[in-house]
Amino acid sequence: MFDMAKFVEYLDDNNDLKKSLIKALELVKEDIHLGKISIVNTVLCENFDFVVDENIDEKCQIKYCHDEYVYIFFKKKDGHNLNIKETEIIDIVLRMVSMHHEKFMLIKKAKDAEFISHNTHLPNIKGFMKEISKLRENVDIKKYNSYFINIKGFGLINKIFGSKQGDEAILSFANALRDFAFDDEVVGHLGGDNFVAFINRRRHEDFINLVTMCPVIIKQDNVRKKVNLIGVVGYKVLKSDDVTYDEIVSHASLACQYARSTKKIVVESTNELMETINSVKNIERTFKEELENGNFIVYYQPKFDIKSGKIVGVEALARWNKDGKLIPPGLFIPILEKSGEIIDLDLFMLETLCKDIHNYRNQGHIIVPASCNLSRRDFEFSDIEDRIINIIRKYNVQTRDIVIEVTETTNLEEKDRLAQFINTMKKNGIMTSVDDFGTGYSSLSVLRDFKVNEIKIDRSFINRDELNNSDEIIIGSIIDMAKRLNIDVVCEGVENEMQANFLLNLGCNNAQGYLYCKPLPKLEFEAFMQKVGTVYDKEGTVKK
Ligand code: C2E
Ligand code: CA
Ligand code: CA
């Protein structure tokens, strides 16, 4: 007689669907004249057969359907006619097979989920490391690089197009990575806009080209838009067989973080870089002391009138002289912003700047407006305006000589605070400038709502090998709008003549960038100014 309890017990082996089903079906083979059971996926048109007896009567079938699956019983070809009782048993057997199959798939899904990112179906971090361990048995790891990729400004895509479209963009990016990877390579998705990869070194260039400019299509209101996703990449050249998680993922991830904070696109994780990053990690502990000991210094980068070559302004940029090594602000400013100590650095920079202006004026030099950067966190201090004004007064500097650079805000509350700040500055005759213009999502409303004197177009707009028509339209309309609103426009990061001419053609007269002058320490800056004029010879012309 059909032993239900035993049948269920045999089915309960969840490790191997085939084994458990065949074992359970063997048990009922005599009682119900079973030849074969098929599980057919109606969506994927896939078919699994569990053959118990080769001698099958294709005509005698009983079906049970559940979800996307049909479970089909085939009778053994033995001339026996099934009676009602047997048909009932077969129905129960099929239902139980279906329940077991469903349970098996659920367990498999849960097991897979441990290793797979559910959004893109690429391996997650666990899956990524597991795949690499598997590969290590067959490939020479020293021939590979590991990569950590973060998509630049992805928050902006979510804000502009919506999070569903954002998910689609991530999926397209993931598919591009999947299509690129060969069998001996692995790509993974850590969630959000972070990806990892393990790629053969000889394909490094191709891989970088793919991830730093990856076109995806975003659909919105039935309109398809092409958006280029820019992956910011940190990578590590793997050198030994014994590569650890740290080397494969953490080092590449730190290099990526470094690239982001120093506004670079691709950064290699070298030992030297890792040492620098580690040494900066504890800045919160030593910051006050380092500041008091004069280890933070001001670099100056002039701003130019493109046509005349005249210097029209200068910006103060912070550097940290740590044990004789110069650390760029991208490494320590994010940490000081987190700890809230950035205000001390910003006011120190302003004070140093005011002292210098005071001295230059006493020596009879002409002064061009000088900019100082403020962090968004500084606005949490309700007396920041008073403190700025007091410093300027203390050194007898004219307010029109000072420009305060601020960045676009992300939320309404911050926006109100920023508007209040800008108005107070204006009332006191201090100019304001919006830095990194175009990288926030509120750019255009900034022009309308804030009474700023200047915008600085972010260097990502022109920092490309080729400038195309849509760059021209975007930058051109920003410049037009600003001009009509009587706002000065400066473009930052100008590195070559092509970019300078491009800007001139669009009506942007002022620029800052390596083409003209890198940020310089005070003495070199003074020497530069002496050579090119402006502050020293009252002419202000760059002699080319
Ligand atoms: P920023 O205010 O946008 O400054 C411009 C950055 O671009 C500077 O980097 C400058 O050295 C760099 N740069 C200038 N011309 C070119 C060019 O032609 N090509 C390229 N590739 N880069 C160019 P730096 O000095 O490393 O400063 C990075 C950022 O750190 C600054 O970006 C600013 O946001 C922040 N920062 C610097 N000093 C201070 C400060 O005293 N306070 C605050 N809150 N932030 C600061
Ligand atoms: Ca700036
Ligand atoms: Ca900037």
Side-chain angles (χ1 to χ4, degrees):
M1 249 333 269
F2 173 49
D3 185 345
M4 176 91 85
K6 207 143 203 129
F7 183 73
V8 172
E9 185 194 314
Y10 283 0
L11 270 186
D12 251 354
D13 175 6
N14 289 314
N15 289 320
D16 188 331
L17 179 68
K18 188 165 175 159
K19 250 200 221 151
S20 64
L21 262 173
I22 290 282
K23 196 170 162 196
L25 294 174
E26 276 287 341
L27 188 75
V28 297
K29 160 173 142 185
E30 292 310 319
D31 291 329
I32 59 174
H33 305 266
L34 171 66
K36 177 172 98 176
I37 282 190
S38 283
I39 301 180
V40 182
N41 184 323
T42 52
V43 174
L44 300 174
C45 301
E46 281 171 347
N47 194 349
F48 305 98
D49 290 331
F50 298 91
V51 181
V52 184
D53 193 316
E54 300 283 343
N55 198 3
I56 294 157
D57 183 354
E58 292 283 355
K59 277 181 288 180
C60 182
Q61 302 178 4
I62 295 177
K63 289 185 188 174
Y64 170 70
C65 304
H66 181 72
D67 264 4
E68 296 165 2
Y69 290 91
V70 181
Y71 301 84
I72 312 168
F73 164 91
F74 292 91
K75 199 179 85 61
K76 196 183 343 178
K77 214 184 217 170
D78 59 357
H80 173 84
N81 285 329
L82 299 177
N83 59 31
I84 293 178
K85 180 98 184 114
E86 283 169 329
T87 314
E88 270 173 20
I89 292 179
I90 291 161
D91 197 52
I92 292 170
V93 164
L94 289 181
R95 277 163 199 266
M96 286 202 299
V97 166
S98 128
M99 269 164 57
H100 169 66
H101 180 221
E102 199 174 340
K103 188 169 130 204
F104 180 85
M105 285 192 303
L106 270 175
I107 290 171
K108 185 166 177 305
K109 236 189 211 163
K111 274 188 194 154
D112 286 350
E114 203 189 328
F115 295 100
I116 280 175
S117 147
H118 73 102
N119 180 4
T120 57
H121 293 112
L122 284 183
N124 59 16
I125 188 63
K126 260 183 155 176
F128 179 72
M129 292 309 289
K130 192 174 151 198
E131 297 282 320
I132 293 178
S133 318
K134 265 200 265 168
L135 276 177
R136 278 171 77 169
E137 291 163 16
N138 304 315
V139 304
D140 180 3
I141 219 145
K142 295 195 286 300
K143 293 188 174 143
Y144 289 75
N145 288 352
S146 67
Y147 298 82
F148 192 103
I149 304 139
N150 175 267
I151 295 172
K152 189 173 168 191
F154 186 68
L156 196 62
I157 293 184
N158 270 333
K159 270 174 196 142
I160 295 175
F161 298 104
S163 60
K164 191 171 152 267
Q165 282 78 4
D167 284 350
E168 276 170 23
I170 288 285
L171 193 59
S172 305
F173 189 80
N175 288 336
L177 291 191
R178 198 195 325 265
D179 291 346
F180 178 89
F182 287 162
D183 286 350
D184 65 330
E185 299 169 325
V186 193
V187 291
H189 178 210
L190 306 193
D193 56 349
N194 293 318
F195 292 84
V196 281
F198 174 81
I199 302 289
N200 197 311
R201 195 164 307 133
R202 68 187 150 74
R203 306 218 300 145
H204 172 78
E205 294 263 300
D206 291 346
F207 186 65
I208 292 291
N209 287 341
L210 170 78
V211 295
T212 54
M213 187 57 86
C214 184
V216 299
I217 300 292
I218 291 181
K219 272 178 271 160
Q220 198 184 32
D221 306 328
N222 284 331
V223 182
R224 290 158 64 86
K225 290 184 186 141
K226 193 177 125 195
V227 175
N228 283 320
L229 295 186
I230 299 174
V232 178
V233 187
Y235 73 96
K236 165 104 182 164
V237 174
L238 301 173
K239 288 190 179 126
S240 75
D241 285 328
D242 175 35
V243 273
T244 57
Y245 173 84
D246 261 359
E247 275 174 294
I248 295 178
V249 180
S250 310
H251 288 186
S253 143
L254 282 172
C256 175
Q257 233 171 299
Y258 176 78
R260 277 165 50 111
S261 55
T262 52
K263 303 184 181 173
K264 296 189 169 73
I265 300 291
V266 182
V267 168
E268 181 184 345
S269 153
T270 57
N271 289 345
E272 203 194 347
L273 179 70
M274 289 303 114
E275 269 168 35
T276 312
I277 291 175
N278 268 328
S279 72
V280 175
K281 256 196 322 213
N282 297 324
I283 186 178
E284 298 108 305
R285 272 213 328 257
T286 53
F287 171 66
K288 286 233 150 67
E289 206 183 315
E290 293 278 301
L291 190 64
E292 275 163 22
N293 292 343
N295 290 334
F296 282 90
I297 40 184
V298 180
Y299 268 49
Y300 288 112
Q301 186 179 33
K303 238 167 29 181
F304 294 82
D305 177 303
I306 301 178
K307 246 190 249 163
S308 68
K310 266 189 185 172
I311 293 177
V312 292
V314 63
E315 176 178 9
L317 293 158
R319 299 288 181 267
W320 178 17
N321 181 355
K322 186 176 186 299
D323 311 322
K325 203 167 157 190
L326 219 54
I327 314 268
L331 275 183
F332 56 84
I333 282 182
I335 304 176
L336 294 178
E337 282 183 330
K338 239 186 221 158
S339 73
E341 285 166 300
I342 185 70
I343 183 162
D344 294 332
L345 177 70
D346 287 345
L347 293 178
F348 162 81
M349 295 286 291
L350 177 68
E351 182 147 6
T352 314
L353 181 68
C354 287
K355 256 188 231 170
D356 285 346
I357 294 179
H358 177 83
N359 290 337
Y360 291 147
R361 196 176 287 286
N362 277 351
Q363 291 158 13
H365 303 311
I366 290 177
I367 304 298
V368 287
S371 312
C372 234
N373 292 283
L374 269 205
S375 157
R376 247 184 253 160
R377 286 224 55 184
D378 298 342
F379 297 117
E380 288 169 21
F381 296 85
S382 57
D383 61 348
I384 179 80
E385 290 93 337
D386 291 342
R387 289 167 79 175
I388 290 175
I389 293 164
N390 286 340
I391 291 173
I392 297 176
R393 280 200 190 129
K394 182 173 159 192
Y395 292 93
N396 227 347
V397 168
Q398 306 200 13
T399 46
R400 65 177 155 83
D401 289 340
I402 299 293
V403 184
I404 303 288
E405 293 191 9
V406 296
T407 46
E408 293 170 45
T409 57
T410 43
N411 65 46
L412 278 179
E413 211 175 291
E414 278 185 357
K415 202 172 158 186
D416 287 348
R417 177 70 184 97
L418 185 61
Q420 184 193 13
F421 175 83
I422 289 169
N423 284 335
T424 312
M425 290 296 107
K426 196 177 170 69
K427 263 189 230 144
N428 286 278
I430 302 166
M431 289 182 276
T432 46
S433 169
V434 181
D435 206 351
D436 306 337
F437 188 85
T439 55
Y441 72 104
S442 56
S443 300
L444 294 182
S445 66
V446 165
L447 292 183
R448 189 191 58 209
D449 300 341
F450 297 143
K451 309 273 172 282
V452 293
N453 302 83
E454 176 191 83
I455 55 169
K456 295 180 85 175
I457 298 180
D458 190 66
R459 73 170 193 253
S460 61
F461 282 96
I462 57 153
N463 206 334
R464 314 217 175 124
D465 291 342
E466 262 172 59
L467 293 162
N468 60 29
N469 196 249
S470 61
D471 295 321
E472 198 172 317
I473 294 171
I474 293 172
I475 304 176
S477 46
I478 292 177
I479 295 169
D480 268 1
M481 244 183 294
K483 274 186 159 174
R484 271 191 260 157
L485 293 163
N486 229 348
I487 296 172
D488 287 339
V489 185
V490 182
C491 198
E492 38 173 48
V494 178
E495 294 181 354
N496 56 49
E497 295 283 352
M498 191 244 332
Q499 293 166 336
N501 289 332
F502 177 81
L503 291 170
L504 258 188
N505 282 337
L506 294 178
C508 172
N509 299 323
N510 296 337
Q512 199 178 10
Y514 295 167
L515 172 65
Y516 306 100
C517 183
K518 286 195 168 189
L520 299 170
K522 188 176 162 192
L523 289 180
E524 281 177 44
F525 167 69
E526 286 171 5
F528 178 83
M529 295 297 251
Q530 214 152 16
K531 201 174 85 196
V532 301
T534 306
V535 176
Y536 288 89
D537 73 358
K538 310 192 182 208
E539 260 226 338
T541 316
V542 182
K543 293 166 192 141
K544 288 208 170 171

PDB file of all heavy atoms in Angstrom, residues 263 315 373 405 435-437 456-459 492, ligand 3:
ATOM      1  N   LYS A 263      38.634  64.373  -6.744  1.00  0.00           N
ATOM      2  CA  LYS A 263      38.003  64.652  -8.040  1.00  0.00           C
ATOM      3  C   LYS A 263      38.781  64.068  -9.212  1.00  0.00           C
ATOM      4  O   LYS A 263      38.917  64.700 -10.249  1.00  0.00           O
ATOM      5  CB  LYS A 263      37.810  66.159  -8.230  1.00  0.00           C
ATOM      6  CG  LYS A 263      36.987  66.790  -7.120  1.00  0.00           C
ATOM      7  CD  LYS A 263      36.742  68.254  -7.385  1.00  0.00           C
ATOM      8  CE  LYS A 263      35.935  68.884  -6.270  1.00  0.00           C
ATOM      9  NZ  LYS A 263      35.825  70.312  -6.412  1.00  0.00           N
ATOM     10  N   GLU A 315      42.461  82.376  -5.586  1.00  0.00           N
ATOM     11  CA  GLU A 315      41.744  81.524  -4.624  1.00  0.00           C
ATOM     12  C   GLU A 315      42.735  80.897  -3.646  1.00  0.00           C
ATOM     13  O   GLU A 315      43.816  80.461  -4.045  1.00  0.00           O
ATOM     14  CB  GLU A 315      40.997  80.408  -5.380  1.00  0.00           C
ATOM     15  CG  GLU A 315      40.313  79.421  -4.425  1.00  0.00           C
ATOM     16  CD  GLU A 315      39.516  78.335  -5.148  1.00  0.00           C
ATOM     17  OE1 GLU A 315      39.618  78.228  -6.387  1.00  0.00           O
ATOM     18  OE2 GLU A 315      38.802  77.587  -4.449  1.00  0.00           O
ATOM     19  N   ASN A 373      37.322  79.210   0.569  1.00  0.00           N
ATOM     20  CA  ASN A 373      36.260  78.199   0.497  1.00  0.00           C
ATOM     21  C   ASN A 373      35.589  77.990   1.854  1.00  0.00           C
ATOM     22  O   ASN A 373      36.268  77.917   2.875  1.00  0.00           O
ATOM     23  CB  ASN A 373      36.855  76.861   0.047  1.00  0.00           C
ATOM     24  CG  ASN A 373      37.315  76.914  -1.382  1.00  0.00           C
ATOM     25  OD1 ASN A 373      36.525  76.852  -2.305  1.00  0.00           O
ATOM     26  ND2 ASN A 373      38.618  77.068  -1.575  1.00  0.00           N
ATOM     27  N   GLU A 405      33.517  81.416  -1.313  1.00  0.00           N
ATOM     28  CA  GLU A 405      32.999  80.373  -2.202  1.00  0.00           C
ATOM     29  C   GLU A 405      32.183  79.366  -1.393  1.00  0.00           C
ATOM     30  O   GLU A 405      32.666  78.832  -0.393  1.00  0.00           O
ATOM     31  CB  GLU A 405      34.152  79.648  -2.918  1.00  0.00           C
ATOM     32  CG  GLU A 405      34.883  80.553  -3.887  1.00  0.00           C
ATOM     33  CD  GLU A 405      35.857  79.799  -4.795  1.00  0.00           C
ATOM     34  OE1 GLU A 405      35.852  78.548  -4.794  1.00  0.00           O
ATOM     35  OE2 GLU A 405      36.620  80.485  -5.504  1.00  0.00           O
ATOM     36  N   ASP A 435      30.630  77.540  -5.954  1.00  0.00           N
ATOM     37  CA  ASP A 435      31.694  76.652  -6.427  1.00  0.00           C
ATOM     38  C   ASP A 435      31.079  75.386  -7.041  1.00  0.00           C
ATOM     39  O   ASP A 435      29.938  75.044  -6.745  1.00  0.00           O
ATOM     40  CB  ASP A 435      32.516  76.241  -5.187  1.00  0.00           C
ATOM     41  CG  ASP A 435      33.932  75.886  -5.542  1.00  0.00           C
ATOM     42  OD1 ASP A 435      34.239  75.795  -6.731  1.00  0.00           O
ATOM     43  OD2 ASP A 435      34.727  75.700  -4.608  1.00  0.00           O
ATOM     44  N   ASP A 436      31.838  74.716  -7.870  1.00  0.00           N
ATOM     45  CA  ASP A 436      31.424  73.424  -8.453  1.00  0.00           C
ATOM     46  C   ASP A 436      30.040  73.517  -9.087  1.00  0.00           C
ATOM     47  O   ASP A 436      29.234  72.574  -9.003  1.00  0.00           O
ATOM     48  CB  ASP A 436      31.408  72.307  -7.388  1.00  0.00           C
ATOM     49  CG  ASP A 436      32.723  72.205  -6.659  1.00  0.00           C
ATOM     50  OD1 ASP A 436      33.746  72.640  -7.210  1.00  0.00           O
ATOM     51  OD2 ASP A 436      32.726  71.693  -5.517  1.00  0.00           O
ATOM     52  N   PHE A 437      29.746  74.656  -9.702  1.00  0.00           N
ATOM     53  CA  PHE A 437      28.408  74.885 -10.228  1.00  0.00           C
ATOM     54  C   PHE A 437      28.043  73.819 -11.261  1.00  0.00           C
ATOM     55  O   PHE A 437      28.823  73.490 -12.148  1.00  0.00           O
ATOM     56  CB  PHE A 437      28.318  76.267 -10.878  1.00  0.00           C
ATOM     57  CG  PHE A 437      26.915  76.646 -11.263  1.00  0.00           C
ATOM     58  CD1 PHE A 437      26.072  77.230 -10.343  1.00  0.00           C
ATOM     59  CD2 PHE A 437      26.437  76.378 -12.531  1.00  0.00           C
ATOM     60  CE1 PHE A 437      24.771  77.553 -10.673  1.00  0.00           C
ATOM     61  CE2 PHE A 437      25.133  76.690 -12.879  1.00  0.00           C
ATOM     62  CZ  PHE A 437      24.302  77.280 -11.952  1.00  0.00           C
ATOM     63  N   LYS A 456      31.184  79.334 -10.414  1.00  0.00           N
ATOM     64  CA  LYS A 456      32.363  78.663 -10.976  1.00  0.00           C
ATOM     65  C   LYS A 456      31.904  77.344 -11.565  1.00  0.00           C
ATOM     66  O   LYS A 456      31.514  76.424 -10.834  1.00  0.00           O
ATOM     67  CB  LYS A 456      33.401  78.419  -9.880  1.00  0.00           C
ATOM     68  CG  LYS A 456      33.957  79.716  -9.316  1.00  0.00           C
ATOM     69  CD  LYS A 456      34.982  79.445  -8.247  1.00  0.00           C
ATOM     70  CE  LYS A 456      36.354  79.222  -8.843  1.00  0.00           C
ATOM     71  NZ  LYS A 456      37.366  79.066  -7.759  1.00  0.00           N
ATOM     72  N   ILE A 457      31.920  77.281 -12.884  1.00  0.00           N
ATOM     73  CA  ILE A 457      31.449  76.069 -13.554  1.00  0.00           C
ATOM     74  C   ILE A 457      32.402  74.921 -13.243  1.00  0.00           C
ATOM     75  O   ILE A 457      33.617  75.042 -13.423  1.00  0.00           O
ATOM     76  CB  ILE A 457      31.339  76.294 -15.075  1.00  0.00           C
ATOM     77  CG1 ILE A 457      30.309  77.397 -15.346  1.00  0.00           C
ATOM     78  CG2 ILE A 457      30.958  74.999 -15.785  1.00  0.00           C
ATOM     79  CD1 ILE A 457      30.111  77.699 -16.803  1.00  0.00           C
ATOM     80  N   ASP A 458      31.845  73.834 -12.748  1.00  0.00           N
ATOM     81  CA  ASP A 458      32.660  72.712 -12.311  1.00  0.00           C
ATOM     82  C   ASP A 458      33.518  72.171 -13.454  1.00  0.00           C
ATOM     83  O   ASP A 458      33.106  72.138 -14.604  1.00  0.00           O
ATOM     84  CB  ASP A 458      31.768  71.591 -11.793  1.00  0.00           C
ATOM     85  CG  ASP A 458      32.590  70.516 -11.096  1.00  0.00           C
ATOM     86  OD1 ASP A 458      33.166  70.833 -10.038  1.00  0.00           O
ATOM     87  OD2 ASP A 458      32.690  69.391 -11.622  1.00  0.00           O
ATOM     88  N   ARG A 459      34.702  71.711 -13.074  1.00  0.00           N
ATOM     89  CA  ARG A 459      35.634  71.334 -14.131  1.00  0.00           C
ATOM     90  C   ARG A 459      35.230  70.064 -14.874  1.00  0.00           C
ATOM     91  O   ARG A 459      35.709  69.806 -15.973  1.00  0.00           O
ATOM     92  CB  ARG A 459      37.044  71.228 -13.598  1.00  0.00           C
ATOM     93  CG  ARG A 459      37.349  70.057 -12.729  1.00  0.00           C
ATOM     94  CD  ARG A 459      38.856  70.054 -12.535  1.00  0.00           C
ATOM     95  NE  ARG A 459      39.305  68.813 -11.966  1.00  0.00           N
ATOM     96  CZ  ARG A 459      39.712  68.692 -10.722  1.00  0.00           C
ATOM     97  NH1 ARG A 459      39.713  69.741  -9.934  1.00  0.00           N
ATOM     98  NH2 ARG A 459      40.109  67.538 -10.268  1.00  0.00           N
ATOM     99  N   GLU A 492      36.420  76.500 -14.116  1.00  0.00           N
ATOM    100  CA  GLU A 492      37.611  75.966 -13.444  1.00  0.00           C
ATOM    101  C   GLU A 492      38.162  74.755 -14.186  1.00  0.00           C
ATOM    102  O   GLU A 492      37.477  74.147 -15.010  1.00  0.00           O
ATOM    103  CB  GLU A 492      37.315  75.627 -11.983  1.00  0.00           C
ATOM    104  CG  GLU A 492      35.964  75.033 -11.702  1.00  0.00           C
ATOM    105  CD  GLU A 492      35.806  74.561 -10.280  1.00  0.00           C
ATOM    106  OE1 GLU A 492      36.139  75.310  -9.358  1.00  0.00           O
ATOM    107  OE2 GLU A 492      35.338  73.428 -10.101  1.00  0.00           O
TER     108      GLU A 492
HETATM  109 CA    CA B   3      35.361  73.987  -7.693  1.00  0.00          CA
END
